[in-house]
Amino acid sequence: MKTISKLIPLLLLIFMSCKEEEKTTEVSESETLKSHPNLILTQESVAEIKAHLGSIPVFDATLAKVQEEVDLAIAEGIDVPIPKDMAGGYTHTQHKANYDHMQKAGVLFQLLGDEKYAIYIRDMLLEYAALFPTLGRHPQERSYSRGKFFWQCLNDSNWLVYTSQAYDCIYDWLPKEQSDHLNRTLFKPYADFLSVETPKFFNRVHNHSTWGNVAVGMIALVMDDDELLDRALYGLEDDNIDPNELDDDGGVIKDKDGKAGFFANLDSPFSPDGFYTEGPYYQRYAMYPFMIFAEALHNKKPELKIFEYKDGVLLKAVDALLNLTDADGEFFPLNDGQKGMSYYTASLVSAVDIAYYYGSQRPELLSVAKAQNKVQLDATGLAVAIGLKEGKEQPFIKKSMELTDGRNGDEGAVGILRHQDDNAAMTLVMKYTGQGLSHGHYDKLSFSLYEDGEEVLQDYGLSRFVNVEQKNGGGYLKENKTFAKHTIAHNTVIQDETSHFDYDFVTGSRHHSDRYVFDASNPQIQIMGAKEHNAYPNTSFHRTMVMVKDSTLAKPYIIDVFKVLSNTAHQYDLPYYYFGQIVATSFKTEAPKALEPLGTKNGYQHLWKEAESTANADHIQFTWLNNQIFYSITSATHAKDKVLLARTGANDPEFNLRRDPAMILRKENTASAVFASVIEPHGVYNAVSETADNAYSQFESVTVVLDEEAYTAIVLKMTSGASKLLILSNLDPNNETEHNLKIGANNYQWTGAYYFQ
Amino acid sequence: MKTISKLIPLLLLIFMSCKEEEKTTEVSESETLKSHPNLILTQESVAEIKAHLGSIPVFDATLAKVQEEVDLAIAEGIDVPIPKDMAGGYTHTQHKANYDHMQKAGVLFQLLGDEKYAIYIRDMLLEYAALFPTLGRHPQERSYSRGKFFWQCLNDSNWLVYTSQAYDCIYDWLPKEQSDHLNRTLFKPYADFLSVETPKFFNRVHNHSTWGNVAVGMIALVMDDDELLDRALYGLEDDNIDPNELDDDGGVIKDKDGKAGFFANLDSPFSPDGFYTEGPYYQRYAMYPFMIFAEALHNKKPELKIFEYKDGVLLKAVDALLNLTDADGEFFPLNDGQKGMSYYTASLVSAVDIAYYYGSQRPELLSVAKAQNKVQLDATGLAVAIGLKEGKEQPFIKKSMELTDGRNGDEGAVGILRHQDDNAAMTLVMKYTGQGLSHGHYDKLSFSLYEDGEEVLQDYGLSRFVNVEQKNGGGYLKENKTFAKHTIAHNTVIQDETSHFDYDFVTGSRHHSDRYVFDASNPQIQIMGAKEHNAYPNTSFHRTMVMVKDSTLAKPYIIDVFKVLSNTAHQYDLPYYYFGQIVATSFKTEAPKALEPLGTKNGYQHLWKEAESTANADHIQFTWLNNQIFYSITSATHAKDKVLLARTGANDPEFNLRRDPAMILRKENTASAVFASVIEPHGVYNAVSETADNAYSQFESVTVVLDEEAYTAIVLKMTSGASKLLILSNLDPNNETEHNLKIGANNYQWTGAYYFQ
């Protein structure tokens, strides 16, 4: 590949000759002289770390690995190719590697004192400084904000966030002529490019813009450029952005409050609980710029008290994110989320270390760091590694919790119910949030269920293979819009085969679901519920999910009551996306001669209809086997209700979708409906002993015995002969209200949102 | 459930009163008096074990676990229900548990000396003795050989094999009246029932009959009944079986040599290498009766020298079986085999311990035993546990090997090529055996490929959920016959959508494939190949598979050359059953409006046609992602060749089949054809760092540059610019023959079956 290494001697000559002119640079010499590094590493922390080197195992091991990696990169030589490729392609990957290696080389230079690392950064920066002025916007025209070294400004901002740290590490080592040259030729113009020249990217409330703000802010701190820092913190004053303009993903550019900059990105997408409205996958992505810039601000602008901002929301956000994971540490794929992403990712190593150091040194965070088995190479990572060396860690126990959404915490929430004992770790996640900006999915009141680290009933997640170039350059696939974001891709109710808010982003963004009840105080009966009044005009949803640990059963079961009320008759579909193989169905299934798509639009066109059955009974039962575990759903039905068995993959010429199955309950031509089901793991198959223990459901039937405006009552009959009655108070969730209800001949009296016995 | 426990006091009264009459029993008192146990446990081994108790960890741990299990069973009480259910159902499962508990209780009684275990066995046997005379054949009419306590005699034989051991353990402890009563009322009639009354089950060469023979043989040894023992060892003299009669699975009952009994079952299904013609799954099942009876014969009839029989075939069989596993110890599912079955199963614990003790105490077997982490509770298990305590184990390294099929080793073989280093453990399994009796599949020259313990290109295995009652009572599903056994379910060539031998068992059983070349001496280039002349009239197959470890590539790749020659034009299909998601195809795929089955019969009716493409080039490339690993198949084509993408699940109303994908190469209207492909793992995806390393195939193209009767030559072009030439000698595999071949302008000279450079 073509690089410009041969230009370096020439460039060095140019520096010498224009030494005089460079005195006009805006940053005064006195301010920066001998003060670097002062962003992430500081002169004090470097001294402290050096004093500990060789004695703190996790820190030393991380450092050794980083050194090995950078030494290899140095041995391979500098390669700054002319930008050309999409994500996953050669030039993209190389520029990514470059900023990563520079950032690490900066740390190595400071901690090990070997000049070769400084030289490596210097030489590479000089190549970038020679390349930058020659570039227009990136030749790939896919993005609403095309970058310089990358196809989108987002990646260019990544470059600058990392490279600023490298630059800080060698700033004092560089001859002033060279830093002036780099400031003037590369960094200042690059910061302007990402901000004033690309306002739609910069002046926005979005994870992209957070990266952009932080990129400009970090280089501002290195160069001591307060005007740039202001721009980073508070945005551009004039951006001339059309308030209706949308980005590649269909999200609006302009924030509804008209605010922009780092503080705006801290204010609005984060709830007071630290939940980030785009969802955990993007929160994970944004955590690095949020936390690393906070650390830099703390070091350089302590007067901003950034870690106390909004009642300590950044530290809370780390905790929220760690709780938004399954037993393996993988993030729940709410909204756009690629499965498999976990708290082992680098941005969470950084976030956990920073949260430990600048928070209250919670020993629970150390156990996460121990699992990560690496640390950030600065004072925060040193503190974590010392904590681990001293054996201070305590288990990070994920509890049931509700994380509110919305800047004020009043725009719905995510509810998480958990149960853990020797038999199973079950996790139930229910989403009743706001839209979640441009990465939001149309899935009000949807849920997913996990057993240990495995999905039992899945949220499909996004349709994308991040950084797999063959798949649309690693970008979003068109099926993300035509399937994954649609309601039918989720475990929630769809009316008349139309997605929530008619799949309209502006409408969806105007509304959020409403929290109704969340009570995890009794580990035997944990309950959460929410309402949604806007997904469809004149139709309201009320879903309640209960996790019950019955002492007579090995594992907990879930009661799922989804009450729908409309003023006109509709068709209602409720899918359950299971995995594995069907073991038994109470309804008769027939094999179609040919497979037809389930519908024509709103994601239905991507599902093959493998079977269509009629319940023909007052309940149905569906048993399947996955990961050697038997599961059943038992659901109250009317005789004429339909059960559809479907599988993704229709109208998918490039095989972008997984071929995953769903069981869909369908109620037709009714204004009101109650979907009442029990979901249970109940047995195990052992392929070595070939034994099937408890292969049958523990439930005989589920029946809706009462459904009024104020109350809904469900009876669960178990195969043991026992039966359970659940009464839900539909209008008053107050846990002190006394209720009195007659069902048939019996009178029930209780206090609070539900009765269960 | 109804049991007959209340009868016991009455039965005891009867014994007392008929004491006198019982003296007429055929077994003389002197022979058995105080000689028991003498089958698996012996008086000497019991003394030796007792001397070691408490000091040999694995033995002690196994014993403690068995004791816990049996104590629980004793606490739950005896339950001998009236037989009613199919496999997986209540009565089936209970009778299974009973013999298991009795066998274990016998061991506990001998080793711990606590009479409660003997009482438990006695009381249960008395219930069985009361029940047995009241029973006709089992009410379920599914089997060709309906049993008494179970739906098929096979399970009844299991019962007797285990129960004989329990009986042996308490024989001397029982009052003679009781043992006489049990012999007369239960055991002798039961042995007659399984043999003379069910000759089609007993007098056969089949794993079922092995169990039957051993059941009769074991109880014969307990009762010292030489007439019964003769019957077990050599079969019934007159069985009146129609030589054309078939069993439930379509297998013939009558052996072609007319032999029967234990020795016949040892002679014929085992090759001299210890390969069992039904395949590893059934070999695993049969190993227990083979080995346990051998141990009993060794103890009681040492003059038979059973472990030396057929050049030590039983010991070789254990070794063969351990080698027929993937990296996780799971058996290759050749023929009917349920995936997940592994050498952790109880019959392999027994087999490994017996092979260690009666073989040459090979330390490699100890490492398998260590992984199993339990031992057989007898002298063999004690020896293994002592070996482990002394740290004598050495790794059991599975090597490339060929295991011949057929009683004389001249009926084809299974070839296994392996490569193992830090990057990957790759295993390639090719099947060119005989039919494999009634559990055989119609898949001449098929193969499967594994990376570490995961399937890359799969053999579908059987269609059955063993012991899952909801799935056809745990028995074979009809899709086993309509899909899984058919050729299209395997990675081999199908002519004109018709299975090998036209799916005719008798024809298939008359033939076997022919070994052609197997050379694993060079770890960089390992080769195996075989020919098949009878799968279709006037068509011959010759497949060669080469595992190449190129020093420039991280992992090995496979060259697959399948040469087909016929005297008339046909359609040839070659499926590759991959897993996971398609990343890229060189051919254009279009989404059908509706999915149609791929064909109407021979298994084709069970595949949905997801895409039908034309190669439109001289090679195709197909890249997919599974388990975060990128794989590609690059294959030489004619422009008009078809590529079909298919998935199992059509015409499957009960969802008995998995929904697994296949890429099928199709050549139409041609008499001769060469399918030449490279199969390679080439990259990894990391979902946490979101990096795709080496997502592209390392091969540019595969071309057949020469195809004659005597030679076939293939050129592989790599993306690195390198290229490789493979020349196969089609007629002479001798490794000393010198060859001289001109291809285009170049002359190639080499010695042996192939040239590769």
Side-chain angles (χ1 to χ4, degrees), chain A residues 281 338 466-467 469-470 589 653 685 690 695-696, chain B residues 281 338 466-467 469-470 589 653 685 690 696:
Chain A
Y281 178 77
Q338 179 165 284
V466 179
N467 289 324
E469 196 186 24
Q470 295 104 314
T589 52
Y685 187 74
E690 296 189 327
Y696 289 91
Chain B
Y281 178 76
Q338 180 165 281
V466 179
N467 288 326
E469 194 187 24
Q470 295 105 315
T589 51
Y685 187 73
E690 295 189 328
Y696 289 90

PDB file of all heavy atoms in Angstrom, chain A residues 281 338 466-467 469-470 589 653 685 690 695-696, chain B residues 281 338 466-467 469-470 589 653 685 690 696:
ATOM      1  N   TYR A 281     -25.777  -1.679  24.579  1.00  0.00           N
ATOM      2  CA  TYR A 281     -24.719  -1.865  23.580  1.00  0.00           C
ATOM      3  C   TYR A 281     -24.078  -0.533  23.221  1.00  0.00           C
ATOM      4  O   TYR A 281     -22.854  -0.421  23.147  1.00  0.00           O
ATOM      5  CB  TYR A 281     -25.307  -2.532  22.337  1.00  0.00           C
ATOM      6  CG  TYR A 281     -24.322  -2.736  21.201  1.00  0.00           C
ATOM      7  CD1 TYR A 281     -23.392  -3.764  21.248  1.00  0.00           C
ATOM      8  CD2 TYR A 281     -24.353  -1.905  20.085  1.00  0.00           C
ATOM      9  CE1 TYR A 281     -22.502  -3.969  20.201  1.00  0.00           C
ATOM     10  CE2 TYR A 281     -23.470  -2.104  19.028  1.00  0.00           C
ATOM     11  CZ  TYR A 281     -22.549  -3.140  19.089  1.00  0.00           C
ATOM     12  OH  TYR A 281     -21.674  -3.337  18.057  1.00  0.00           O
ATOM     13  N   GLN A 338     -25.335  -5.765  19.271  1.00  0.00           N
ATOM     14  CA  GLN A 338     -24.781  -6.995  18.699  1.00  0.00           C
ATOM     15  C   GLN A 338     -24.510  -7.969  19.839  1.00  0.00           C
ATOM     16  O   GLN A 338     -23.791  -7.658  20.779  1.00  0.00           O
ATOM     17  CB  GLN A 338     -23.498  -6.711  17.907  1.00  0.00           C
ATOM     18  CG  GLN A 338     -22.895  -8.013  17.309  1.00  0.00           C
ATOM     19  CD  GLN A 338     -21.852  -7.770  16.228  1.00  0.00           C
ATOM     20  OE1 GLN A 338     -22.189  -7.432  15.109  1.00  0.00           O
ATOM     21  NE2 GLN A 338     -20.592  -7.941  16.555  1.00  0.00           N
ATOM     22  N   VAL A 466     -20.796  -6.358  12.688  1.00  0.00           N
ATOM     23  CA  VAL A 466     -19.905  -5.206  12.839  1.00  0.00           C
ATOM     24  C   VAL A 466     -18.485  -5.568  12.410  1.00  0.00           C
ATOM     25  O   VAL A 466     -17.910  -6.541  12.893  1.00  0.00           O
ATOM     26  CB  VAL A 466     -19.916  -4.702  14.308  1.00  0.00           C
ATOM     27  CG1 VAL A 466     -18.978  -3.520  14.474  1.00  0.00           C
ATOM     28  CG2 VAL A 466     -21.334  -4.326  14.715  1.00  0.00           C
ATOM     29  N   ASN A 467     -17.962  -4.787  11.475  1.00  0.00           N
ATOM     30  CA  ASN A 467     -16.597  -4.949  10.957  1.00  0.00           C
ATOM     31  C   ASN A 467     -16.365  -6.196  10.111  1.00  0.00           C
ATOM     32  O   ASN A 467     -15.221  -6.556   9.844  1.00  0.00           O
ATOM     33  CB  ASN A 467     -15.555  -4.882  12.083  1.00  0.00           C
ATOM     34  CG  ASN A 467     -15.421  -3.469  12.621  1.00  0.00           C
ATOM     35  OD1 ASN A 467     -15.523  -2.507  11.856  1.00  0.00           O
ATOM     36  ND2 ASN A 467     -15.208  -3.327  13.919  1.00  0.00           N
ATOM     37  N   GLU A 469     -16.455  -7.073   6.627  1.00  0.00           N
ATOM     38  CA  GLU A 469     -16.547  -6.243   5.432  1.00  0.00           C
ATOM     39  C   GLU A 469     -17.500  -6.814   4.377  1.00  0.00           C
ATOM     40  O   GLU A 469     -18.210  -6.080   3.693  1.00  0.00           O
ATOM     41  CB  GLU A 469     -15.155  -6.060   4.823  1.00  0.00           C
ATOM     42  CG  GLU A 469     -15.101  -4.924   3.817  1.00  0.00           C
ATOM     43  CD  GLU A 469     -13.754  -4.846   3.117  1.00  0.00           C
ATOM     44  OE1 GLU A 469     -13.038  -5.860   3.035  1.00  0.00           O
ATOM     45  OE2 GLU A 469     -13.415  -3.753   2.639  1.00  0.00           O
ATOM     46  N   GLN A 470     -17.517  -8.148   4.257  1.00  0.00           N
ATOM     47  CA  GLN A 470     -18.375  -8.749   3.229  1.00  0.00           C
ATOM     48  C   GLN A 470     -19.854  -8.422   3.452  1.00  0.00           C
ATOM     49  O   GLN A 470     -20.642  -8.454   2.514  1.00  0.00           O
ATOM     50  CB  GLN A 470     -18.214 -10.278   3.218  1.00  0.00           C
ATOM     51  CG  GLN A 470     -16.817 -10.745   2.821  1.00  0.00           C
ATOM     52  CD  GLN A 470     -16.016 -11.215   4.018  1.00  0.00           C
ATOM     53  OE1 GLN A 470     -15.994 -10.551   5.052  1.00  0.00           O
ATOM     54  NE2 GLN A 470     -15.357 -12.342   3.892  1.00  0.00           N
ATOM     55  N   THR A 589     -50.155 -29.745  14.608  1.00  0.00           N
ATOM     56  CA  THR A 589     -49.403 -29.024  13.580  1.00  0.00           C
ATOM     57  C   THR A 589     -49.416 -29.830  12.289  1.00  0.00           C
ATOM     58  O   THR A 589     -49.346 -31.053  12.308  1.00  0.00           O
ATOM     59  CB  THR A 589     -47.939 -28.804  14.015  1.00  0.00           C
ATOM     60  OG1 THR A 589     -47.384 -30.059  14.406  1.00  0.00           O
ATOM     61  CG2 THR A 589     -47.858 -27.848  15.185  1.00  0.00           C
ATOM     62  N   PRO A 653     -32.419 -12.402   0.535  1.00  0.00           N
ATOM     63  CA  PRO A 653     -31.602 -13.005  -0.523  1.00  0.00           C
ATOM     64  C   PRO A 653     -30.132 -13.164  -0.143  1.00  0.00           C
ATOM     65  O   PRO A 653     -29.465 -14.060  -0.647  1.00  0.00           O
ATOM     66  CB  PRO A 653     -31.737 -12.022  -1.692  1.00  0.00           C
ATOM     67  CG  PRO A 653     -32.213 -10.742  -1.082  1.00  0.00           C
ATOM     68  CD  PRO A 653     -33.031 -11.149   0.109  1.00  0.00           C
ATOM     69  N   TYR A 685     -32.242 -32.929  29.820  1.00  0.00           N
ATOM     70  CA  TYR A 685     -31.890 -34.130  29.070  1.00  0.00           C
ATOM     71  C   TYR A 685     -30.398 -34.339  29.198  1.00  0.00           C
ATOM     72  O   TYR A 685     -29.621 -33.395  29.084  1.00  0.00           O
ATOM     73  CB  TYR A 685     -32.265 -33.975  27.592  1.00  0.00           C
ATOM     74  CG  TYR A 685     -32.059 -35.259  26.829  1.00  0.00           C
ATOM     75  CD1 TYR A 685     -32.953 -36.312  27.016  1.00  0.00           C
ATOM     76  CD2 TYR A 685     -30.970 -35.442  25.987  1.00  0.00           C
ATOM     77  CE1 TYR A 685     -32.759 -37.522  26.356  1.00  0.00           C
ATOM     78  CE2 TYR A 685     -30.772 -36.647  25.330  1.00  0.00           C
ATOM     79  CZ  TYR A 685     -31.676 -37.683  25.522  1.00  0.00           C
ATOM     80  OH  TYR A 685     -31.474 -38.888  24.876  1.00  0.00           O
ATOM     81  N   GLU A 690     -28.525 -40.558  28.549  1.00  0.00           N
ATOM     82  CA  GLU A 690     -29.763 -40.678  27.773  1.00  0.00           C
ATOM     83  C   GLU A 690     -30.989 -40.719  28.665  1.00  0.00           C
ATOM     84  O   GLU A 690     -31.898 -41.531  28.485  1.00  0.00           O
ATOM     85  CB  GLU A 690     -29.704 -41.889  26.838  1.00  0.00           C
ATOM     86  CG  GLU A 690     -28.610 -41.717  25.791  1.00  0.00           C
ATOM     87  CD  GLU A 690     -28.615 -42.767  24.683  1.00  0.00           C
ATOM     88  OE1 GLU A 690     -28.972 -43.906  24.978  1.00  0.00           O
ATOM     89  OE2 GLU A 690     -28.272 -42.416  23.549  1.00  0.00           O
ATOM     90  N   ALA A 695     -39.419 -34.185  31.710  1.00  0.00           N
ATOM     91  CA  ALA A 695     -39.605 -33.714  30.338  1.00  0.00           C
ATOM     92  C   ALA A 695     -40.971 -33.075  30.134  1.00  0.00           C
ATOM     93  O   ALA A 695     -41.201 -32.429  29.115  1.00  0.00           O
ATOM     94  CB  ALA A 695     -39.420 -34.884  29.371  1.00  0.00           C
ATOM     95  N   TYR A 696     -41.875 -33.263  31.101  1.00  0.00           N
ATOM     96  CA  TYR A 696     -43.224 -32.700  30.957  1.00  0.00           C
ATOM     97  C   TYR A 696     -43.383 -31.430  31.783  1.00  0.00           C
ATOM     98  O   TYR A 696     -42.808 -31.306  32.869  1.00  0.00           O
ATOM     99  CB  TYR A 696     -44.271 -33.728  31.420  1.00  0.00           C
ATOM    100  CG  TYR A 696     -44.412 -34.886  30.464  1.00  0.00           C
ATOM    101  CD1 TYR A 696     -43.640 -36.034  30.613  1.00  0.00           C
ATOM    102  CD2 TYR A 696     -45.297 -34.825  29.384  1.00  0.00           C
ATOM    103  CE1 TYR A 696     -43.754 -37.107  29.731  1.00  0.00           C
ATOM    104  CE2 TYR A 696     -45.419 -35.883  28.503  1.00  0.00           C
ATOM    105  CZ  TYR A 696     -44.653 -37.013  28.675  1.00  0.00           C
ATOM    106  OH  TYR A 696     -44.761 -38.063  27.794  1.00  0.00           O
TER     107      TYR A 696
ATOM    108  N   TYR B 281     -21.720 -45.418  17.985  1.00  0.00           N
ATOM    109  CA  TYR B 281     -22.806 -45.229  18.952  1.00  0.00           C
ATOM    110  C   TYR B 281     -23.316 -46.578  19.460  1.00  0.00           C
ATOM    111  O   TYR B 281     -23.522 -46.775  20.657  1.00  0.00           O
ATOM    112  CB  TYR B 281     -23.928 -44.433  18.297  1.00  0.00           C
ATOM    113  CG  TYR B 281     -25.134 -44.199  19.174  1.00  0.00           C
ATOM    114  CD1 TYR B 281     -25.111 -43.251  20.184  1.00  0.00           C
ATOM    115  CD2 TYR B 281     -26.305 -44.923  18.977  1.00  0.00           C
ATOM    116  CE1 TYR B 281     -26.217 -43.024  20.983  1.00  0.00           C
ATOM    117  CE2 TYR B 281     -27.426 -44.705  19.760  1.00  0.00           C
ATOM    118  CZ  TYR B 281     -27.382 -43.754  20.767  1.00  0.00           C
ATOM    119  OH  TYR B 281     -28.488 -43.535  21.549  1.00  0.00           O
ATOM    120  N   GLN B 338     -26.767 -40.972  18.218  1.00  0.00           N
ATOM    121  CA  GLN B 338     -27.298 -39.736  18.810  1.00  0.00           C
ATOM    122  C   GLN B 338     -26.128 -38.867  19.258  1.00  0.00           C
ATOM    123  O   GLN B 338     -25.267 -39.307  20.016  1.00  0.00           O
ATOM    124  CB  GLN B 338     -28.229 -40.050  19.989  1.00  0.00           C
ATOM    125  CG  GLN B 338     -28.786 -38.753  20.612  1.00  0.00           C
ATOM    126  CD  GLN B 338     -29.976 -38.984  21.538  1.00  0.00           C
ATOM    127  OE1 GLN B 338     -31.094 -39.174  21.085  1.00  0.00           O
ATOM    128  NE2 GLN B 338     -29.743 -38.944  22.837  1.00  0.00           N
ATOM    129  N   VAL B 466     -33.687 -40.193  22.158  1.00  0.00           N
ATOM    130  CA  VAL B 466     -33.699 -41.417  22.964  1.00  0.00           C
ATOM    131  C   VAL B 466     -34.246 -41.122  24.355  1.00  0.00           C
ATOM    132  O   VAL B 466     -33.756 -40.221  25.051  1.00  0.00           O
ATOM    133  CB  VAL B 466     -32.278 -42.021  23.054  1.00  0.00           C
ATOM    134  CG1 VAL B 466     -32.285 -43.281  23.910  1.00  0.00           C
ATOM    135  CG2 VAL B 466     -31.743 -42.323  21.659  1.00  0.00           C
ATOM    136  N   ASN B 467     -35.265 -41.862  24.727  1.00  0.00           N
ATOM    137  CA  ASN B 467     -35.903 -41.758  26.050  1.00  0.00           C
ATOM    138  C   ASN B 467     -36.684 -40.467  26.292  1.00  0.00           C
ATOM    139  O   ASN B 467     -37.031 -40.174  27.441  1.00  0.00           O
ATOM    140  CB  ASN B 467     -34.882 -41.972  27.187  1.00  0.00           C
ATOM    141  CG  ASN B 467     -34.468 -43.420  27.278  1.00  0.00           C
ATOM    142  OD1 ASN B 467     -35.272 -44.315  27.013  1.00  0.00           O
ATOM    143  ND2 ASN B 467     -33.214 -43.668  27.613  1.00  0.00           N
ATOM    144  N   GLU B 469     -40.083 -39.329  25.936  1.00  0.00           N
ATOM    145  CA  GLU B 469     -41.321 -40.072  25.670  1.00  0.00           C
ATOM    146  C   GLU B 469     -42.234 -39.363  24.678  1.00  0.00           C
ATOM    147  O   GLU B 469     -42.891 -39.996  23.855  1.00  0.00           O
ATOM    148  CB  GLU B 469     -42.060 -40.299  26.988  1.00  0.00           C
ATOM    149  CG  GLU B 469     -43.162 -41.346  26.857  1.00  0.00           C
ATOM    150  CD  GLU B 469     -44.005 -41.456  28.120  1.00  0.00           C
ATOM    151  OE1 GLU B 469     -44.073 -40.484  28.902  1.00  0.00           O
ATOM    152  OE2 GLU B 469     -44.611 -42.523  28.313  1.00  0.00           O
ATOM    153  N   GLN B 470     -42.258 -38.027  24.745  1.00  0.00           N
ATOM    154  CA  GLN B 470     -43.156 -37.288  23.846  1.00  0.00           C
ATOM    155  C   GLN B 470     -42.806 -37.512  22.379  1.00  0.00           C
ATOM    156  O   GLN B 470     -43.648 -37.350  21.503  1.00  0.00           O
ATOM    157  CB  GLN B 470     -43.079 -35.781  24.129  1.00  0.00           C
ATOM    158  CG  GLN B 470     -43.584 -35.363  25.501  1.00  0.00           C
ATOM    159  CD  GLN B 470     -42.447 -35.031  26.439  1.00  0.00           C
ATOM    160  OE1 GLN B 470     -41.468 -35.773  26.510  1.00  0.00           O
ATOM    161  NE2 GLN B 470     -42.578 -33.948  27.171  1.00  0.00           N
ATOM    162  N   THR B 589     -27.368 -15.089  -5.090  1.00  0.00           N
ATOM    163  CA  THR B 589     -28.515 -15.786  -4.500  1.00  0.00           C
ATOM    164  C   THR B 589     -29.743 -14.892  -4.576  1.00  0.00           C
ATOM    165  O   THR B 589     -29.650 -13.683  -4.412  1.00  0.00           O
ATOM    166  CB  THR B 589     -28.241 -16.138  -3.023  1.00  0.00           C
ATOM    167  OG1 THR B 589     -27.808 -14.959  -2.337  1.00  0.00           O
ATOM    168  CG2 THR B 589     -27.166 -17.191  -2.906  1.00  0.00           C
ATOM    169  N   PRO B 653     -44.242 -32.518   9.923  1.00  0.00           N
ATOM    170  CA  PRO B 653     -45.335 -31.893  10.688  1.00  0.00           C
ATOM    171  C   PRO B 653     -45.075 -31.856  12.187  1.00  0.00           C
ATOM    172  O   PRO B 653     -45.588 -30.976  12.865  1.00  0.00           O
ATOM    173  CB  PRO B 653     -46.550 -32.773  10.362  1.00  0.00           C
ATOM    174  CG  PRO B 653     -45.978 -34.055   9.859  1.00  0.00           C
ATOM    175  CD  PRO B 653     -44.697 -33.698   9.186  1.00  0.00           C
ATOM    176  N   TYR B 685     -13.786 -14.234  14.315  1.00  0.00           N
ATOM    177  CA  TYR B 685     -14.500 -13.023  14.679  1.00  0.00           C
ATOM    178  C   TYR B 685     -14.504 -12.928  16.191  1.00  0.00           C
ATOM    179  O   TYR B 685     -14.749 -13.917  16.884  1.00  0.00           O
ATOM    180  CB  TYR B 685     -15.942 -13.056  14.159  1.00  0.00           C
ATOM    181  CG  TYR B 685     -16.637 -11.725  14.391  1.00  0.00           C
ATOM    182  CD1 TYR B 685     -16.299 -10.631  13.608  1.00  0.00           C
ATOM    183  CD2 TYR B 685     -17.566 -11.562  15.400  1.00  0.00           C
ATOM    184  CE1 TYR B 685     -16.890  -9.396  13.828  1.00  0.00           C
ATOM    185  CE2 TYR B 685     -18.155 -10.330  15.629  1.00  0.00           C
ATOM    186  CZ  TYR B 685     -17.814  -9.257  14.834  1.00  0.00           C
ATOM    187  OH  TYR B 685     -18.390  -8.024  15.057  1.00  0.00           O
ATOM    188  N   GLU B 690     -14.922  -6.799  18.443  1.00  0.00           N
ATOM    189  CA  GLU B 690     -15.577  -6.545  17.148  1.00  0.00           C
ATOM    190  C   GLU B 690     -14.554  -6.490  16.014  1.00  0.00           C
ATOM    191  O   GLU B 690     -14.604  -5.621  15.148  1.00  0.00           O
ATOM    192  CB  GLU B 690     -16.431  -5.277  17.212  1.00  0.00           C
ATOM    193  CG  GLU B 690     -17.589  -5.448  18.186  1.00  0.00           C
ATOM    194  CD  GLU B 690     -18.608  -4.320  18.151  1.00  0.00           C
ATOM    195  OE1 GLU B 690     -18.205  -3.186  17.881  1.00  0.00           O
ATOM    196  OE2 GLU B 690     -19.805  -4.588  18.377  1.00  0.00           O
ATOM    197  N   TYR B 696     -11.582 -13.387   4.890  1.00  0.00           N
ATOM    198  CA  TYR B 696     -11.620 -13.843   3.492  1.00  0.00           C
ATOM    199  C   TYR B 696     -10.869 -15.159   3.322  1.00  0.00           C
ATOM    200  O   TYR B 696      -9.860 -15.408   3.984  1.00  0.00           O
ATOM    201  CB  TYR B 696     -10.991 -12.788   2.573  1.00  0.00           C
ATOM    202  CG  TYR B 696     -11.846 -11.549   2.435  1.00  0.00           C
ATOM    203  CD1 TYR B 696     -11.692 -10.473   3.305  1.00  0.00           C
ATOM    204  CD2 TYR B 696     -12.829 -11.470   1.450  1.00  0.00           C
ATOM    205  CE1 TYR B 696     -12.484  -9.347   3.196  1.00  0.00           C
ATOM    206  CE2 TYR B 696     -13.625 -10.342   1.324  1.00  0.00           C
ATOM    207  CZ  TYR B 696     -13.455  -9.280   2.200  1.00  0.00           C
ATOM    208  OH  TYR B 696     -14.247  -8.177   2.079  1.00  0.00           O
TER     209      TYR B 696
END
